[in-house]
Amino acid sequence: MNSILYLVRKLPGTLANETIDMVLVSGVFGQPTTVVFMDDGVFQLIGDGEKIRRKDTAKKWTALPAYDIDKVLVHLPSLAERNIPDTQLPNFVCLASDSELQDAFREANCVVSD
């Protein structure tokens, strides 16, 4: 089965809910799925909607492990640029360098970006 990589780069908003739904559907059908959070997309994981004046999507993303989506990567430089400590992230994510993300993109058969 083809693998799919979902790239989350935008602040939480209306599109975030649709992206979460697509990711969870991939999990339901047992499709090999990777989710990458980078740029402003890292804010979707920290659960502080007040800070960025957007809807909080962090609780919805916590469903990923229940859908057997265990390859969730967070771009380490994106966190550093936004002064977000990794201690604010859920425990199911893995921090990834530029080269680790390049490998994930190479391994994916399809990339869907918000």
Side-chain angles (χ1 to χ4, degrees):
M1 184 177 285
N2 288 336
S3 63
I4 188 164
L5 183 145
Y6 291 94
L7 178 59
V8 180
R9 298 181 80 167
K10 296 183 180 173
L11 288 168
T14 305
L15 187 58
N17 291 322
E18 293 174 9
T19 302
I20 294 166
D21 290 344
M22 286 190 303
V23 172
L24 297 180
V25 167
S26 294
V28 165
F29 289 105
Q31 187 170 29
T33 303
T34 301
V35 183
V36 172
F37 292 89
M38 67 184 306
D39 299 331
D40 284 340
V42 298
F43 285 111
Q44 292 199 33
L45 291 170
I46 63 169
D48 190 356
E50 290 295 315
K51 181 178 179 183
I52 56 175
R53 300 181 192 269
R54 300 287 177 126
K55 187 173 182 178
D56 185 357
T57 56
K59 288 182 183 177
K60 290 183 179 182
W61 286 113
T62 62
L64 293 178
Y67 285 80
D68 293 329
I69 299 169
D70 53 4
K71 193 166 183 184
V72 181
L73 307 174
V74 177
H75 186 230
L76 191 54
S78 293
L79 286 177
E81 290 168 7
R82 286 153 185 83
N83 296 315
I84 299 172
D86 60 0
T87 56
Q88 285 189 299
L89 299 175
N91 62 0
F92 61 85
V93 303
C94 296
L95 300 177
S97 66
D98 289 333
S99 63
E100 290 168 319
L101 288 188
Q102 287 174 354
D103 292 342
F105 281 103
R106 269 195 291 275
E107 292 170 7
N109 295 102
C110 179
V111 175
V112 177
S113 179
D114 62 359

